[in-house]
Amino acid sequence: MFQPGEVLVQKFGGSSMANPERIIRVAERIAEQARSGKRIAVVVSAMGDTTDDLITLLRQISPDPDPRELDQLMATGEIVSCSMTTCALQKLGIRAKSYNAFNLQIQSGGTFGSAEIGRFGRLPELARFLEPGCVAVVAGFQGINDQGDLVTLGRGGSDITAVALARDLGQKVCEKYTDEDGIYTADPRLIPTARKVWHRLQ
């Protein structure tokens, strides 16, 4: 589809997308690269704690929600981030377009809440859009099952989307951006003795 290095594939996590100001900063960073003529595919997570907030909201109505309905709800967080990032890029004069699981026909197997990406059914359409200087913004964490329902990929699902997209676009590198202060041996919110094993560059 593309030769290695022809497309920048980048993933921005929830901390980078936590509010409109951070989304604008992300868009400015992407725009700078796009203006140099790079083709860019960006995968975004939901804003901040949106996914957890949506789950909490739903459980106020139904303590044990139907898994299908839970996935329909959770997938909307990434769609919001995707559209907001795209609009921020367009405001900066960049040709950008958003894609969600339906636009890309991200075919996924498995169960609700822990689906697996099979293939991007409409990837050629995204590839045709990716002229030099263009940015495709993809909603992570989601796919579509054989019944045509939205399914989510589980925790870290946007990372999986980004890596799978890089692979299918023929790229060997997928850049992950985060505002966290490093990578830990476990979730420090749950395991107080977790150790930081990597420091971000300043």
Side-chain angles (χ1 to χ4, degrees), residues 7 15 95 110 114 140 162 197:
V7 180
S15 60
R95 188 171 174 232
S114 60
V197 295

Short mmCIF file of all heavy atoms in Angstrom, two decimals, residues 7 15 95 110 114 140 162 197:
data_model
loop_
_atom_site.label_atom_id
_atom_site.label_comp_id
_atom_site.label_asym_id
_atom_site.label_seq_id
_atom_site.Cartn_x
_atom_site.Cartn_y
_atom_site.Cartn_z
N VAL A 7 4.34 7.01 5.45
CA VAL A 7 3.23 7.51 6.27
C VAL A 7 3.68 7.55 7.72
O VAL A 7 4.24 6.58 8.24
CB VAL A 7 1.97 6.61 6.15
CG1 VAL A 7 0.84 7.16 7.02
CG2 VAL A 7 1.53 6.48 4.70
N SER A 15 -4.71 11.22 27.98
CA SER A 15 -4.13 12.35 28.70
C SER A 15 -3.76 13.49 27.76
O SER A 15 -3.87 14.66 28.11
CB SER A 15 -2.90 11.91 29.50
OG SER A 15 -1.90 11.38 28.64
N ARG A 95 -5.66 19.75 5.48
CA ARG A 95 -6.69 18.85 4.92
C ARG A 95 -6.74 17.60 5.78
O ARG A 95 -5.81 16.78 5.77
CB ARG A 95 -6.36 18.51 3.47
CG ARG A 95 -7.48 17.74 2.79
CD ARG A 95 -7.25 17.60 1.30
NE ARG A 95 -8.26 16.73 0.71
CZ ARG A 95 -8.01 15.69 -0.06
NH1 ARG A 95 -6.77 15.38 -0.37
NH2 ARG A 95 -9.00 14.96 -0.54
N GLY A 110 -14.48 -11.75 18.17
CA GLY A 110 -14.38 -11.80 19.63
C GLY A 110 -15.65 -11.29 20.27
O GLY A 110 -16.68 -11.10 19.63
N SER A 114 -13.87 -7.02 24.47
CA SER A 114 -12.53 -7.59 24.25
C SER A 114 -12.41 -8.15 22.84
O SER A 114 -11.92 -9.25 22.62
CB SER A 114 -12.24 -8.70 25.28
OG SER A 114 -13.20 -9.74 25.17
N GLY A 140 -9.78 5.22 17.77
CA GLY A 140 -9.26 3.94 18.23
C GLY A 140 -10.27 3.16 19.05
O GLY A 140 -11.42 3.58 19.21
N ALA A 162 -3.81 1.52 16.50
CA ALA A 162 -2.70 2.23 15.87
C ALA A 162 -1.68 1.27 15.29
O ALA A 162 -1.19 1.46 14.17
CB ALA A 162 -2.03 3.17 16.88
N VAL A 197 9.87 2.52 34.83
CA VAL A 197 10.98 1.87 34.13
C VAL A 197 11.41 2.63 32.88
O VAL A 197 12.33 2.23 32.19
CB VAL A 197 10.64 0.42 33.76
CG1 VAL A 197 10.46 -0.41 35.01
CG2 VAL A 197 9.37 0.35 32.89
#
